[in-house]
Amino acid sequence: MILIFDPQPPFIVWYKMTESGFEEKKCIYQNGWEKEVSADLGVASGVSYVLYNGGDEISTSPITIDRSLITSVEKVVPLSPDRNQMTLAAIRYCYEHMPAIRHTLVCETVLYDALPSKSRNYAVPLELREKGVKRYGGYGLQHGYMMEKVKSVLDNAHHKVVSVFLGAETNVVAFEDGRPIETSIGFSPAEGIPSLHGCGDTDASFVFLMQEAGWALKDIAPVFSQRGGLCALLGKADCSFGDVISSGVDNIAYKILRYSVIKYIGSAIAQLGGTDVFLIHGENGIELVEPFIRDICRNFDFIGLSCADTYEKTKKDLVFLSGEESSVKILYVQCTRPELLRECVSHT
Amino acid sequence: MNILTFNCGSSSLSYKIFQIDSHDEIEIAVSGKAHRVGVTGSEPSFIEHNYNGQYVKNTLPIASHREAAALVFQYVKENSIPIDLIGHRFVHGATYFPRTAIITEKALEMLEICLPFAPLHNPISLSVIKESLERYPSITEYLTFDGAFHSTIPDYAYTYALPSEIIEQYGYRKYGFHGLSFQYVSGESARFLNIPLEKLKLVMCHLGTGGSSVCAVKDGYSIDNSLGYTPLPGLIMSTRSGDIDPMAVIFLMNNYGYTPDSLEALLNKKSGILGISGFSSDPRDIIEAIKTDETKKEIAQLALDMYVQRLKKYIGAYIAVMGGIDALVFTDDVGVLSAVIREKVCESMGWCGVELDYARNRTIDPKQDSMVNSERSKVYVMTVPTAEELVICREGLKLHTEGEMA
């Protein structure tokens, strides 16, 4: 049995992976999670950890953890304080208690080391760029695995891929010949498409205006990363991606999500100079997301893209949604987080 | 009838006096501009006037926009030019001014409230208005707003997904900018193409030497603009960063001790093209350096690539939300004068039907509307020099003929 740690603030989540399946466990990070995990750790043959932002320190994923790697993780905590801090705490605890077993790290941002510098950078002075202000992207494990997974079902002619993850933090990555050239997530997942709790694209001047209005910096960050987003638009403290796309086409949360996804797909196409494939993926089943995907795709009929009236599951978890005459192939792949992480750590 | 219009830039003041005959034909009688207003530097400030085929240039210290306006009034008086109506441009009228308005006591009070919305532009416009009211107490004066054109942006495009109590308390939303320019350019594009505006899907790129933005117009209405509540987000501009993650701003404050003021200044005044290149805020200098300067070549190339990429990103996004495009229009100084930028932007745009005529693109008259797409292009690609003052004038004329002056 191996353990995989996946920080999902305020929870620290871990999966107990066995040959036959998995068990998901979670605990509020502040509430003595070490006690909860210690029994599982005692019988684990290996431990893996997800790091959300590896900055410029982590450039390989998966990678075996040793002392010097722990130092590297310490250095990147400020880039994504909530999530990276949990990963670091989990590594420290487990590494100390079970030094003899194998510890590996998988990192969500390594994929984007390949971004061209024009996409990687913000238009800020060198002074700020040198301090680590750049677009790190996110969900690299997801997009990378999806690109691998669909290789076998697409022929080689498909080299301009718009990869769309639909879920808690919906985001879009443009791939050219297998290499990412743009991502909707920026320095953090707060930028880009609004997520369940993150605001998505706004105006960075709000940080200054709120400080002027008397807000403390520590209270401003959650306004962008935790307190807003699609759930807030639905008027709920918490909600699922399914709740948003089922809220009705006239609901403001639905409309904003739809609009933002269409914008980012358009951006990706413009940067690719066209597209061959919409590779759409997420944790939900096709039945739930199909109407939303069709609604998005309608905006692209001007480039000759069209959805089939019906679809067949050609392979488990993989659906072709495009019509025969469509200029762009549209695929939906269902993949849950534990399945994804199992795949990612299995290469270690 | 003579209409005097004022248009404040952050360090300039343009004015025009339009002469309107009985057939409503509009002609520019006088035009002029004060340069380097309030700027302390090696080069002196000056004001120029064009009137009756004569060009006058006076070099003198001009400490403020109000002083510049006073110089305009002095010139008008010396030449005994009659004025019947005075129109002002006010960049940000927030939700208080959804359309052109006559200046009244009440309006002045509301303008004061609007000052913080565009801290660079609004206060200087108000100072010019005050000077003008003092000089011409008996003449009707009116306000035109950049935000008015963008008041049709739908809720899903102007709403930020911030907590509702924040939005309610502070009124944060997208307003959009460059509205007078887009109003002129959209109307002019339709006229030039001889297609009703309501039938066009337009993407307009207002590329200035200061601010820049992209606007999408569908069914005759603005549906989105790349600027936001303030003129910081969106495109990479001369010295403004354009889009940047607020969490990156917070990261810098938390870990490197930047104060809000210092970072705000860095993002607004030292970023953008200047921030990337480190040597110039003007895209034309960047293009020149790529060709001629070995030491700056590489960083200049990055600045140009980023500038073009961000622009393409917005063009692609707006084409997608409109479900297609009929015309791509470039305007303002850089948009009209830089053939290279148009070329780069239109590269690999065949997917949406855009194809440039490279030769034509390089030989246009920047003072005229021009078509620069190839014969085969499915999309019109145009340059249209903007005329914000003409919009101010037309708005005044509309007020006048609709009898709202009483």
Side-chain angles (χ1 to χ4, degrees):
Chain A
M1 189 271 293
I2 61 159
L3 294 183
I4 305 176
F5 281 92
D6 190 19
Q8 295 173 18
F11 299 104
I12 182 157
V13 174
W14 64 96
Y15 302 102
K16 292 167 68 177
M17 291 283 176
T18 59
E19 290 281 317
S20 55
F22 72 91
E23 186 187 343
E24 180 180 335
K25 291 191 145 184
K26 67 178 174 183
C27 175
I28 299 262
Y29 177 62
Q30 272 87 0
N31 293 359
W33 60 277
E34 296 95 334
K35 229 182 288 162
E36 297 276 325
V37 84
S38 62
D40 293 337
L41 184 63
V43 292
S45 59
V47 191
S48 292
Y49 313 82
V50 178
L51 183 69
Y52 271 79
N53 192 334
D56 291 332
E57 293 288 327
I58 312 291
S59 53
T60 313
S61 173
I63 185 169
T64 303
I65 294 174
D66 57 20
R67 291 270 168 216
S68 82
L69 195 84
I70 296 177
T71 312
S72 299
V73 174
E74 285 165 356
K75 284 187 196 158
V76 297
V77 166
L79 294 175
S80 179
D82 295 349
R83 286 169 167 171
N84 281 5
Q85 181 57 48
M86 278 191 201
T87 304
L88 178 64
I91 295 173
R92 276 183 181 151
Y93 179 80
C94 299
Y95 196 79
E96 286 307 321
H97 286 79
M98 295 287 279
I101 59 170
R102 185 140 188 241
H103 299 260
T104 52
L105 185 79
V106 287
C107 177
E108 294 281 15
T109 54
V110 167
L111 179 75
Y112 306 100
D113 287 351
L115 284 179
S117 18
K118 64 178 176 179
S119 312
R120 184 84 161 151
N121 282 298
Y122 286 104
V124 296
L126 187 61
E127 171 192 340
L128 304 185
R129 278 178 274 149
E130 283 176 341
K131 294 185 168 68
V133 173
K134 57 179 79 166
R135 307 174 61 85
Y136 293 105
Y139 290 79
L141 300 175
Q142 172 83 19
H143 290 284
Y145 175 51
M146 285 301 131
M147 288 295 285
E148 277 300 311
K149 187 163 170 145
V150 297
K151 251 188 195 165
S152 57
V153 298
L154 295 173
D155 57 60
N156 291 331
H158 299 103
H159 49 82
K160 290 177 176 177
V161 178
V162 179
S163 176
V164 183
F165 170 68
L166 296 179
E169 286 178 340
T170 298
N171 67 90
V172 175
V173 177
F175 285 93
E176 188 165 32
D177 300 323
R179 177 190 178 203
I181 62 158
E182 181 62 295
T183 154
S184 63
I185 291 182
F187 176 85
S188 83
E191 195 180 17
I193 297 166
S195 62
L196 294 183
H197 297 288
C199 62
D201 292 327
T202 54
D203 185 331
S205 301
F206 294 148
V207 179
F208 310 123
L209 292 168
M210 290 180 74
Q211 279 182 305
E212 240 169 73
W215 284 65
L217 200 52
K218 68 171 176 41
D219 298 323
I220 296 178
V223 166
F224 297 104
S225 62
Q226 291 168 24
R227 293 180 46 205
L230 300 166
C231 297
L233 290 168
L234 279 182
K236 291 181 174 175
D238 199 9
C239 69
S240 68
F241 181 73
D243 292 339
V244 178
I245 57 171
S246 311
S247 66
V249 294
D250 292 325
N251 191 291
I252 187 74
Y254 181 96
K255 287 196 289 184
I256 287 180
L257 176 67
R258 173 185 181 276
Y259 189 69
S260 190
V261 170
I262 290 171
K263 277 207 316 202
Y264 273 102
I265 293 176
S267 290
I269 297 174
Q271 286 178 54
L272 290 165
T275 178
D276 312 301
V277 181
F278 279 14
L279 169 59
I280 308 170
H281 41 93
E283 295 206 72
N284 294 293
I286 180 69
E287 297 76 15
L288 182 74
V289 292
E290 187 195 347
F292 183 69
I293 294 175
R294 286 183 184 275
D295 196 8
I296 298 289
C297 288
R298 263 194 290 277
N299 264 59
F300 295 93
D301 60 5
F302 73 102
I303 57 167
L305 172 149
S306 62
C307 291
D309 296 335
T310 57
Y311 58 85
E312 267 178 73
K313 285 203 173 190
T314 51
K315 235 179 147 180
K316 187 180 170 286
D317 305 333
L318 191 148
V319 179
F320 273 96
L321 278 164
S322 39
E324 289 211 348
E325 68 293 348
S326 178
S327 62
V328 177
K329 286 214 162 70
I330 309 165
L331 284 92
Y332 183 74
V333 188
Q334 183 182 2
C335 177
T336 66
R337 185 79 181 163
E339 274 175 73
L340 166 74
L341 295 182
R342 178 199 289 278
E343 279 302 320
C344 294
V345 304
S346 72
H347 295 293
T348 58
Chain B
M1 182 174 72
N2 282 354
I3 301 182
L4 168 63
T5 64
F6 283 110
N7 185 3
C8 290
S10 45
S11 62
S12 66
L13 176 70
S14 302
Y15 79 95
K16 285 199 172 73
I17 299 172
F18 294 92
Q19 209 162 45
I20 299 121
D21 67 15
S22 52
H23 304 289
D24 282 353
E25 290 290 323
I26 301 173
E27 218 171 276
I28 299 172
V30 191
S31 68
K33 188 170 182 177
H35 298 259
R36 308 185 55 77
V37 176
V39 178
T40 45
S42 49
E43 287 172 65
S45 47
F46 62 96
I47 184 162
E48 48 188 3
H49 310 275
N50 295 284
Y51 177 46
N52 273 344
Q54 288 197 324
Y55 173 79
V56 186
K57 177 179 170 180
N58 293 323
T59 304
L60 76 173
I62 308 173
S64 68
H65 285 75
R66 189 163 180 158
E67 263 187 56
L71 291 171
V72 173
F73 292 126
Q74 195 186 323
Y75 184 80
V76 168
K77 200 177 163 198
E78 281 168 9
N79 291 279
S80 312
I81 305 163
I83 303 292
D84 303 294
L85 199 55
I86 300 176
H88 299 270
R89 175 190 178 198
F90 201 79
V91 165
H92 208 320
T95 45
Y96 302 97
F97 293 101
R99 64 186 71 85
T100 299
I102 306 278
I103 299 181
T104 59
E105 284 297 322
K106 181 91 182 84
L108 279 173
E109 278 170 32
M110 289 197 290
L111 288 182
E112 297 276 355
I113 301 172
C114 293
L115 293 184
F117 288 105
L120 283 177
H121 293 90
N122 281 356
I124 56 178
S125 296
L126 185 59
S127 74
V128 170
I129 291 167
K130 284 183 174 164
E131 180 67 23
S132 181
L133 289 169
E134 234 168 70
R135 292 290 179 113
Y136 288 99
S138 57
I139 289 184
T140 304
E141 307 203 19
Y142 63 96
L143 300 156
T144 57
F145 300 93
D146 279 90
F149 184 67
H150 296 306
S151 63
T152 49
I153 292 176
D155 58 359
Y156 51 83
Y158 74 64
T159 305
Y160 296 122
L162 293 166
S164 54
E165 64 272 21
I166 301 283
I167 292 180
E168 278 158 30
Q169 188 175 355
Y170 299 109
Y172 293 163
R173 53 159 287 175
K174 171 180 285 199
Y175 281 112
F177 290 82
H178 300 136
L180 296 182
S181 176
F182 289 128
Q183 185 175 341
Y184 172 78
V185 172
S186 56
E188 180 61 16
S189 302
R191 192 200 61 77
F192 185 66
L193 293 170
N194 199 20
I195 301 172
L197 183 58
E198 302 73 43
K199 294 198 170 153
L200 283 173
K201 289 173 182 160
L202 278 183
V203 175
M204 294 174 282
C205 310
H206 175 107
L207 308 177
T209 48
S212 298
S213 75
V214 186
C215 174
V217 164
K218 193 183 176 191
D219 304 327
Y221 298 110
S222 167
I223 58 155
D224 211 341
N225 177 244
S226 59
L227 289 165
Y229 180 77
T230 73
L232 179 61
L235 297 181
I236 292 173
M237 292 166 257
S238 299
T239 66
R240 278 181 243 144
S241 62
D243 290 327
I244 182 159
D245 192 332
M247 297 305 279
V249 175
I250 292 170
F251 162 80
L252 286 167
M253 291 182 179
N254 269 333
N255 295 283
Y256 294 95
Y258 284 97
T259 62
D261 286 350
S262 66
L263 258 191
E264 189 173 12
L266 277 174
L267 293 183
N268 281 290
K269 294 176 182 160
K270 301 280 180 208
S271 290
I273 290 175
L274 177 63
I276 311 163
S277 73
F279 68 87
S280 174
S281 61
D282 191 327
R284 287 164 292 188
D285 292 348
I286 300 295
I287 291 163
E288 193 53 35
I290 293 169
K291 280 188 281 189
T292 58
D293 193 328
E294 277 304 317
T295 56
K296 290 174 182 156
K297 200 174 179 171
E298 200 178 324
I299 196 71
Q301 188 67 54
L302 178 65
L304 180 65
D305 289 350
M306 286 177 68
Y307 181 88
V308 169
Q309 184 192 31
R310 186 74 60 83
L311 189 48
K312 282 184 95 121
K313 203 168 155 174
Y314 273 95
I315 294 171
Y318 289 168
I319 292 173
V321 298
M322 293 194 292
I325 175 172
D326 299 308
L328 175 64
V329 191
F330 293 89
T331 189
D332 209 30
D333 291 352
V334 177
V336 167
L337 292 172
S338 179
V340 175
I341 284 177
R342 290 194 299 274
E343 217 167 83
K344 290 257 172 202
V345 169
C346 294
E347 231 166 61
S348 313
M349 287 276 274
W351 65 275
C352 63
V354 166
E355 198 188 277
L356 204 63
D357 181 325
Y358 289 87
R360 208 187 292 180
N361 181 51
R362 287 189 174 256
T363 51
I364 61 150
D365 175 356
K367 292 200 164 64
Q368 302 284 330
D369 297 347
S370 308
M371 197 94 87
V372 293
N373 54 281
S374 74
E375 298 285 329
R376 286 186 313 180
S377 182
K378 294 190 186 89
V379 177
Y380 299 109
V381 184
M382 299 153 66
T383 61
V384 175
T386 194
E388 288 165 335
E389 287 91 357
L390 187 57
V391 175
I392 304 174
C393 167
R394 283 178 185 162
E395 287 289 305
L397 197 57
K398 215 159 55 176
L399 283 181
H400 184 74
T401 50
E402 284 168 3
E404 290 184 28
M405 295 302 181

